[in-house]
C-alpha cells in the first residue's frame, strides 16, 4: 500500500508565508498540512516570537528543521568565506538539505507563498517527488490581499517590519544599508556578532557583508543613511497615500528602491 501524499508549507517568519498558512487553513481545512520552519539558530528574536503567535492563533504545530551542523561549522569549512549572493552555501547546507531530508522520497505537495503580482518562482526542488503549488497565483492574490489576510486574522506583521522588510538570518547579506544600521540599534549584540564574522573573514579573504564597505565603516555613515532613508520614506508616503498603503508597505517600497535584488527564495 502506497503512502499518502504529504502536504507541506514552509514558514519563514515573514508576511507572505504566514498569510499563506492563514489562507490554506481558511480555504482548505480538510488538508492535513505539515508546517515547518528551517531553523538556523541565527534568526532575529522577533521571528521566534512571531512563530509562537502563528502556532497559537492558528492552532498548528510548526516543526523546526535544523541542519546537523550549524553556520559556524560551515563558516570554518569554507575557510571563513562569508556567504554571498554568488556563493550561498548557507542556503544549501542549512535550508535545502534539511528540507529534502525531512521529505525524503515521499510524494509531497509544497505550497509556496509567491503572490500574483510577483515575477519570481521561489525555491522549487529538483526532486521529482516534490510538486510545487502556488495558491496566491492561482487565486490572483496580491500584496494588498496579504496585508488584509494578516490584519483580519489578528496576526498582523512581525515586529521587525518596523525597520526590515524581509525575514532571514540577522546577518543576511541581502540586507540593505539602512537595515544594517537599524540592526545595530535594535539588536547591538547581534550586530557585534555580524561584525565579528566579517572581521574573521577579512583576515585572509577580505570579504565583507556589504559590497565595497565594512559594517563598521557603514556605521560611521549612519546619520547620512538614516537621513536619506527618512527623505525617501516621506516621498514614498506621499506617492502611496492615495491607495492607503500601510507603513510596512511604504518601508518595503523604499528599501526595494535602494536595492531590489531578490533574496534567497527558500529563506524569505
Amino acid at each position: 500500500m502506497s503512502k499518502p501524499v504529504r502536504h507541506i508549507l514552509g514558514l519563514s517568519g515573514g508576511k507572505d508565508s504566514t498569510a499563506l498558512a492563514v489562507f490554506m487553513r481558511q480555504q482548505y481545512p480538510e488538508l492535513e498540512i505539515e508546517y515547518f520552519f528551517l531553523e538556523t539558530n541565527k534568526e532575529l528574536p522577533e521571528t521566534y516570537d512571531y512563530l509562537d503567535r502563528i502556532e497559537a492563533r492558528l492552532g498548528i504545530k510548526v516543526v523546526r528543521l535544523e541542519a546537523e551542523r550549524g553556520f559556524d561549522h560551515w563558516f570554518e569549512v569554507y575557510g571563513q568565506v562569508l556567504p554571498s549572493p554568488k556563493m550561498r552555501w548557507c542556503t544549501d547546507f542549512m535550508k535545502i538539505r534539511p528540507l529534502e531530508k525531512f521529505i525524503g522520497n515521499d510524494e509531497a505537495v509544497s505550497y509556496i507563498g509567491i503572490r500574483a503580482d510577483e515575477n519570481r518562482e521561489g525555491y522549487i526542488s529538483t526532486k521529482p517527488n516534490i510538486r510545487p503549488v502556488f495558491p496566491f497565483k492561482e487565486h490572483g492574490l496580491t500584496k494588498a490581499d496579504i496585508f488584509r489576510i494578516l490584519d483580519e486574522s489578528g496576526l498582523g506583521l512581525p515586529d521587525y517590519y518596523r525597520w526590515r522588510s524581509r525575514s532571514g538570518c540577522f546577518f543576511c547579506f541581502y540586507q540593505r544599508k539602512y537595515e544594517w544600521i537599524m540592526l545595530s540599534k535594535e539588536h547591538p549584540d547581534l550586530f557585534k556578532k555580524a561584525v565579528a564574522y566579517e572581521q574573521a573573514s577579512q583576515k585572509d579573504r577580505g570579504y565583507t557583508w556589504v559590497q565595497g564597505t565594512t559594517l563598521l565603516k557603514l556605521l560611521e555613515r549612519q546619520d547620512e543613511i538614516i537621513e536619506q532613508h527618512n527623505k525617501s520614506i516621506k516621498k514614498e508616503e506621499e506617492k502611496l497615500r492615495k491607495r492607503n498603503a500601510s507603513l510596512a508597505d511604504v518601508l518595503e517600497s523604499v528599501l526595494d528602491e535602494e536595492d531590489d535584488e531578490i533574496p534567497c527564495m527558500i529563506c524569505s
Side-chain angles (χ1 to χ4, degrees):
M1 184 176 179
S2 61
K3 296 178 66 175
V5 175
R6 295 170 63 183
H7 297 266
I8 62 173
L9 193 159
L11 289 161
S12 68
K15 67 181 188 305
D16 293 331
S17 63
T18 304
L20 181 60
V22 175
F23 180 79
M24 294 300 293
R25 292 281 286 175
Q26 293 174 342
Q27 299 295 319
Y28 304 98
E30 73 280 3
L31 290 180
E32 293 186 12
I33 297 176
E34 299 175 60
Y35 301 90
F36 65 89
F37 171 72
L38 294 164
E39 176 66 86
T40 65
N41 292 304
K42 302 295 182 181
E43 308 289 334
L44 294 169
E46 296 96 320
T47 299
Y48 297 115
D49 292 341
Y50 197 53
L51 288 171
D52 291 342
R53 282 165 52 191
I54 293 169
E55 288 185 315
R57 175 68 65 170
L58 300 184
I60 63 175
K61 175 64 178 177
V62 180
V63 178
R64 269 67 164 177
L65 304 181
E66 191 169 345
E68 292 181 6
R69 295 182 180 273
F71 180 88
D72 291 348
H73 168 80
W74 294 112
F75 183 57
E76 294 300 324
V77 168
Y78 275 82
Q80 297 187 324
V81 173
L82 296 174
S84 68
K86 293 183 179 179
M87 188 163 57
R88 299 185 300 195
W89 54 258
C90 52
T91 305
D92 182 16
F93 289 105
M94 302 181 67
K95 299 279 186 173
I96 295 175
R97 296 192 186 196
L99 173 57
E100 295 191 342
K101 181 180 178 181
F102 172 66
I103 298 170
N105 295 319
D106 295 341
E107 292 292 324
V109 177
S110 176
Y111 298 97
I112 301 171
I114 305 297
R115 307 187 307 267
D117 56 351
E118 290 183 289
N119 183 27
R120 60 185 179 123
E121 293 184 342
Y123 165 70
I124 302 175
S125 175
T126 57
K127 296 186 68 173
N129 57 306
I130 304 175
R131 179 168 65 90
V133 173
F134 305 90
F136 289 157
K137 283 185 174 291
E138 292 177 358
H139 289 263
L141 301 184
T142 64
K143 186 190 292 187
D145 296 303
I146 272 57
F147 284 119
R148 174 183 54 78
I149 289 170
L150 293 176
D151 185 53
E152 292 177 353
S153 72
L155 276 167
L157 297 167
D159 187 58
Y160 66 75
Y161 269 81
R162 292 182 294 104
W163 55 276
R164 174 172 159 156
S165 69
R166 297 169 179 170
S167 56
C169 298
F170 69 83
F171 49 59
C172 182
F173 44 82
Y174 282 111
Q175 287 184 99
R176 291 75 156 214
K177 295 180 179 65
Y178 174 78
E179 292 172 310
W180 279 113
I181 296 301
M182 292 307 297
L183 176 67
S184 73
K185 296 181 178 300
E186 296 284 334
H187 299 288
D189 55 329
L190 299 183
F191 184 82
K192 288 179 182 178
K193 289 180 180 179
V195 169
Y197 283 124
E198 184 178 73
Q199 290 177 337
S201 186
Q202 278 192 292
K203 287 180 182 178
D204 300 316
R205 305 282 186 167
Y207 287 97
T208 57
W209 290 116
V210 182
Q211 187 174 3
T213 189
T214 67
L215 293 183
L216 291 181
K217 287 182 179 177
L218 202 65
L219 208 58
E220 293 174 0
R221 296 174 47 218
Q222 62 178 304
D223 291 343
E224 169 197 341
I225 292 170
I226 292 173
E227 181 181 3
Q228 182 56 50
H229 174 82
N230 290 337
K231 287 180 179 178
S232 299
I233 285 286
K234 185 176 181 180
K235 181 179 177 181
E236 192 68 17
E237 281 180 331
E238 294 174 356
K239 188 165 62 174
L240 298 180
R241 187 174 295 151
K242 290 184 179 180
R243 63 182 178 87
N244 197 29
S246 67
L247 291 176
D249 200 2
V250 171
L251 174 63
E252 186 173 26
S253 296
V254 167
L255 292 175
D256 282 345
E257 284 185 8
E258 177 185 331
D259 174 15
D260 60 359
E261 190 167 18
I262 297 175
C264 295
M265 297 298 97
I266 195 169
C267 295
S268 66

